[in-house]
Each structure stands twice: as C-alpha cells, then as structure tokens.
Amino acid sequence: MEYSEKVMEHFVNPHNVGKLEDADGIGEVGNAKCGDIMKMYLKIENDIITDVKFNTYGCASAIATSSIATDMIKGQPLSEALKLTNKAVVEALDGLPAVKIHCSVLAEQAIKAAVKDYYDKNGIEYNPADFEFEEHHH
C-alpha cells in the first residue's frame, strides 16, 4: 500500500497529540469495522478554536488524518471547522489509498462531535443538519 510522504510525515510525527484538561468540547467517535477510535478536544473562545488536541487509536491513515485535520481547524471559527470535509483532509495529505478513505471520515466526525458537545454544554442552539455526515459503507 502506497502512502504519500505527507501521510508518513503526520503518522511518524503527528501534530496536536494529547489531551486538553479543560477542553470546552470533546468528541469521541469510533469505527467498529476497523477498530479505530478517535477522541478530539477543543478549546473554544469567542467561537474560535484556540487549541485542539486528539488521541487516535488506529492505523496510519487515521492518525495522519487526525493530525492534519487539527492543523486545519486550529485558529478557525467553529463555522469553518464544521465545513471541513474528509475530502479536504485527504487532499491536504496528497491522497490516501482508496481502502483507507474511510479513516479520514473519522476526523470529520470527531470535529463535529466535539463542536456539538460544546454547543450542548453551553445551551447554544444549532442546526442539526450541520452535524449530519454521510455514512460510508464498504
């Protein structure tokens, strides 16, 4: 299986790994099929993601996509973070092997889950449609 240099770089030295003790939003998602679990922590101020950390138990693709996704949403308003698609993440990594595309969906789901957690905790109204993601079946 061929991984791009970007994927390997983020897999070997993933960015933003760890846990935020005082996270404003936490999202945990998993894919039972491949056993990947991803937990994302967001620190949010004035609707801006000021800090983000993640823990991923999974394959190289899952870790690389989490790493680059956190880079892409750091410093962004929540509305922008919610627009991040797994397609954009895959493009940022210069592509993924087709069988691994589903791993990139986890990052998108984890971000949405963490933002939703923040909204729920703070009683902020949101449009549920913003949090729907397509299920990918194989």
Side-chain angles (χ1 to χ4, degrees), residues 1-4 7 60-61 90 93-104 138:
M1 199 151 32
E2 282 298 305
Y3 286 113
S4 71
V7 173
S61 311
V90 170
L93 286 170
D94 298 330
L96 276 176
V99 294
K100 291 295 181 184
I101 295 291
H102 65 275
C103 301
S104 64
H138 297 284

Side-chain angles (χ1 to χ4, degrees), residues 65-87:
T65 50
S66 321
S67 170
I68 204 152
T70 53
D71 280 351
M72 290 164 86
I73 63 169
K74 206 171 187 172
Q76 295 290 323
L78 293 177
S79 55
E80 286 301 308
L82 286 175
K83 284 186 205 149
L84 184 72
T85 61
N86 71 298
K87 188 169 175 282

Side-chain angles (χ1 to χ4, degrees), residues 6-17 38 40 52-56 60-74 84 89 92-93 107 111:
K6 276 253 181 79
V7 173
M8 290 313 296
E9 187 187 313
H10 279 272
F11 171 58
V12 177
N13 295 304
H15 306 172
N16 309 307
V17 172
M38 185 181 296
M40 199 163 283
V52 52
K53 291 265 187 286
F54 79 90
N55 283 118
T56 295
S61 311
I63 291 166
T65 50
S66 321
S67 170
I68 204 152
T70 53
D71 280 351
M72 290 164 86
I73 63 169
K74 206 171 187 172
L84 184 72
V89 171
L93 286 170
I111 292 165

Side-chain angles (χ1 to χ4, degrees), residues 20 22-25 41-45 48-52:
L20 291 174
D22 51 354
D24 295 306
Y41 303 85
L42 301 178
K43 193 93 190 88
I44 297 160
E45 275 169 53
I48 304 280
I49 296 172
T50 54
D51 201 5
V52 52

